[in-house]
Amino acid sequence: MKRLSVQAPKSVVMIRPHHFTPNPMTANDNSFQSSDEQRAAAAVASAAFGEVTRMAEGLAAAGVTVHVFEDETVATPDSVFPNNWFSTHSGGHVAIYPMYSASRQSERRSDVIEMLKTDYRVQDVIDYSGLEKDHVYLEGTGAMVLDHIGRVAYAVRSNRTNEVALERFCTHFNFEPMVFDAVDRHGKSIYHTNVLMCIGTDFALLGSAMIKDESRRREIIARLEETGRKVTELSIEQIENFAGNAIELDGRDGRLVVLSARALAALDPAQIEAIEETTKLLPFDVSTIELAGGSVRCMLAGIHLSRREPAATQLLYAAG
């Protein structure tokens, strides 16, 4: 019998952009971001649209319920990453977050929240977005990697992770904050924690070499291991190829580790074997989306809520 896990959601929200482009307003503090000089803007947008479509269909085929919302505007180039502006939590709780870039603050959508209230059991919605007026930011499960089993919120200090907002979130949602500093090979702060680490039910992926404080590094590894997880170390090069930007989901035949094709290609056979001891790897080509500095994990907002009624179909499209 398949063992259920509070760490691995069965359902996700995705945003399908019609005018995708890497966001010039976020490039300054996102060293993972790049540009495509070979393709016209329309070709990039079309490729991104196709990548989201194929990923949604592939997840649905694996038994994950996928709620796809359309973004036909040109004002929100990073809307394909919805996990930054909202998160959901067992017990019927939803959080809405303050976003660092002004261009991202309009990504928040009432239709997504209304869908959650209609299709899932939502008890309350806590909205932190007003903190933007005070220049206080916490970009959801990009800024935090949440251990739903051990109740720890791991967070790298950055422009997008304010410790006051983090403490407030942890108080409301019953997590212990674990804040640390991490930098890339050039000494620049990692912009989002979820490019550095992934936490599954029985495993964790971690680029610990990027955590400069050795005692903090050991403490983080110990906290992950004391929950029974096997920690797979990732190199800086593997992190740069988005190997840490993965997510565990609950599919029809068991748990899945969803990641990009680029990330999978960066893993070595021993790492793949370690991960697949308890899960199945499910890669998708999102190379165009990755130009924006995020990958598969960033594209998926997991739904940790109880469903009101069973889905009539696994792939659900909602009007944008």
Side-chain angles (χ1 to χ4, degrees):
M1 182 176 179
K2 186 175 70 171
R3 181 166 66 93
L4 300 179
S5 170
V6 297
Q7 190 70 30
K10 300 173 179 291
S11 306
V12 296
V13 168
M14 297 183 71
I15 307 295
R16 181 162 50 191
H18 291 235
H19 303 283
F20 171 85
T21 184
N23 187 351
M25 293 185 67
T26 60
N28 186 54
D29 71 332
N30 183 347
S31 61
F32 291 78
Q33 196 166 320
S34 58
S35 58
D36 188 333
E37 306 296 338
Q38 305 302 315
R39 291 183 290 180
V44 170
S46 176
F49 183 95
E51 288 173 6
V52 173
T53 300
R54 288 187 291 274
M55 183 170 156
E57 292 172 347
L59 289 172
V64 177
T65 299
V66 184
H67 301 271
V68 180
F69 288 76
E70 309 293 336
D71 181 11
E72 299 182 15
T73 73
V74 297
T76 50
D78 281 326
S79 64
V80 72
F81 303 137
N83 79 306
N84 298 147
W85 70 261
F86 83 96
S87 66
T88 65
H89 304 267
S90 59
H93 309 294
V94 177
I96 298 176
Y97 296 102
M99 307 287 281
Y100 174 65
S101 173
S103 66
R104 301 207 61 191
Q105 293 170 5
S106 56
E107 291 177 23
R108 294 185 289 263
R109 299 174 56 145
S110 59
D111 56 348
V112 172
I113 302 302
E114 289 306 312
M115 180 278 294
L116 293 174
K117 291 178 179 178
T118 299
D119 291 2
Y120 298 86
R121 301 186 187 281
V122 174
Q123 177 177 301
D124 55 28
V125 178
I126 299 180
D127 189 348
Y128 300 105
S129 63
L131 294 173
E132 290 167 353
K133 303 295 184 184
D134 299 312
H135 307 290
V136 172
Y137 310 107
L138 183 67
E139 293 192 343
T141 54
M144 305 176 289
V145 173
L146 301 177
D147 178 356
H148 293 271
I149 297 171
R151 307 306 296 175
V152 179
Y154 296 90
V156 174
R157 292 184 182 91
S158 73
N159 295 334
R160 309 182 188 209
T161 306
N162 180 279
E163 291 185 56
V164 172
L166 176 65
E167 289 279 357
R168 189 173 298 185
F169 165 84
C170 288
T171 297
H172 288 154
F173 288 85
N174 191 32
F175 284 89
E176 174 192 349
M178 183 165 280
V179 185
F180 56 98
D181 295 304
V183 298
D184 64 16
R185 67 171 68 245
H186 305 293
K188 188 173 185 178
S189 293
I190 298 298
Y191 83 105
H192 271 165
T193 313
N194 75 358
V195 297
L196 181 74
M197 65 189 304
C198 165
I199 299 177
T201 303
D202 299 309
F203 74 93
L205 309 178
L206 177 64
S208 68
M210 305 173 90
I211 304 171
K212 306 321 291 181
D213 186 312
E214 290 187 14
S215 62
R216 196 58 161 166
R217 186 190 313 158
R218 289 193 298 269
E219 185 179 4
I220 290 169
I221 293 171
R223 290 301 300 271
L224 292 168
E225 289 179 339
E226 73 183 24
T227 59
R229 295 181 171 96
K230 183 173 184 177
V231 178
T232 295
E233 291 281 357
L234 301 176
S235 68
I236 293 176
E237 184 177 10
Q238 289 174 324
I239 293 296
E240 291 171 339
N241 283 286
F242 297 105
N245 196 240
I247 182 173
E248 184 184 58
L249 301 177
D250 189 14
R252 181 183 302 107
D253 299 320
R255 294 194 298 275
L256 308 164
V257 179
V258 189
L259 74 173
S260 75
R262 175 180 172 183
L264 179 60
L267 296 174
D268 64 41
Q271 291 169 323
I272 292 172
E273 182 179 0
I275 297 167
E276 290 198 319
E277 286 179 4
T278 57
T279 59
K280 176 184 176 182
L281 288 164
L282 181 61
F284 293 97
D285 177 8
V286 293
S287 53
T288 304
I289 300 295
E290 287 173 332
L291 294 171
S295 188
V296 164
R297 171 64 187 96
C298 302
M299 297 168 65
L300 299 172
I303 303 178
H304 295 265
L305 302 168
S306 298
R307 191 165 182 86
R308 291 188 182 276
E309 298 292 341
T313 178
Q314 290 295 326
L315 181 60
L316 306 174
Y317 291 89

